[in-house]
Amino acid sequence: MQNRLLRMEREAIDRDATPKPAVFGTIVAGAPDEAYVPVFDAARFACGVWQCTEGVVAMKDWPYDEFCILLSGRVVITPQGGTAQEYAQGDAFVIPKGFTGTWDIKQTIRKYYAVQKHPSALGRLKSMVRGLLPV
């Protein structure tokens, strides 16, 4: 593991990312494009900068616990069977693992994200086996 600090830059999207059709869920309306720049990506944790243009995307069974801070834009997030909540620049929120609902992106959003990855049962088994093997 490296012993250094990593800077998360909101401008990294403009320099280092190529937008592509959104794949974080099923597009329901519009033609949202997303782009991201990972800053750190390890087995159980990842973070970076992400952006998505206007549109509506339905998410099903989100695989991570994710913390977000909106750097710009506006989005209305509605959990399945729940109440819509609007977020804008400066707002922070958590998307829990298993989240199902919609993201209605009203103005292009850019956010810092941090996700806790949850390895599959197979992934956990592989980690346990690796831990038992001599180095």
Side-chain angles (χ1 to χ4, degrees):
M1 173 172 262
Q2 296 179 351
N3 186 21
R4 64 185 178 104
L5 297 175
L6 301 169
R7 179 177 293 275
M8 292 177 58
E9 299 177 36
R10 70 178 67 214
E11 296 82 15
I13 293 284
D14 301 324
R15 278 194 322 264
D16 305 329
T18 303
K20 62 182 188 279
V23 296
F24 68 98
T26 302
I27 296 173
V28 175
D33 285 332
E34 67 180 328
Y36 72 98
V37 175
V39 173
F40 182 81
D41 194 354
R44 298 192 62 118
F45 177 79
C47 62
V49 185
W50 179 86
Q51 175 175 294
C52 192
T53 59
E54 294 85 2
V56 180
V57 178
M59 297 170 61
K60 182 170 176 45
D61 199 23
W62 190 240
Y64 315 110
D65 287 313
E66 179 175 358
F67 175 71
C68 307
I69 300 173
L70 280 188
L71 302 169
S72 61
R74 192 167 60 90
V75 61
V76 176
I77 302 175
T78 307
Q80 184 177 45
T83 303
Q85 296 182 39
E86 184 169 335
Y87 299 96
Q89 181 177 349
D91 290 337
F93 55 94
V94 172
I95 305 165
K97 181 180 186 288
F99 174 85
T100 296
T102 58
W103 282 49
D104 184 355
I105 302 165
K106 304 291 190 181
Q107 296 172 332
T108 297
I109 58 172
R110 185 174 292 191
K111 69 178 182 175
Y112 289 138
Y113 69 87
V115 297
Q116 178 183 8
K117 298 178 182 179
H118 298 276
S120 66
L122 179 58
R124 288 191 302 271
L125 179 61
K126 286 180 180 178
S127 292
M128 285 179 15
V129 170
R130 273 194 301 268
L132 296 173
L133 297 175
V135 177

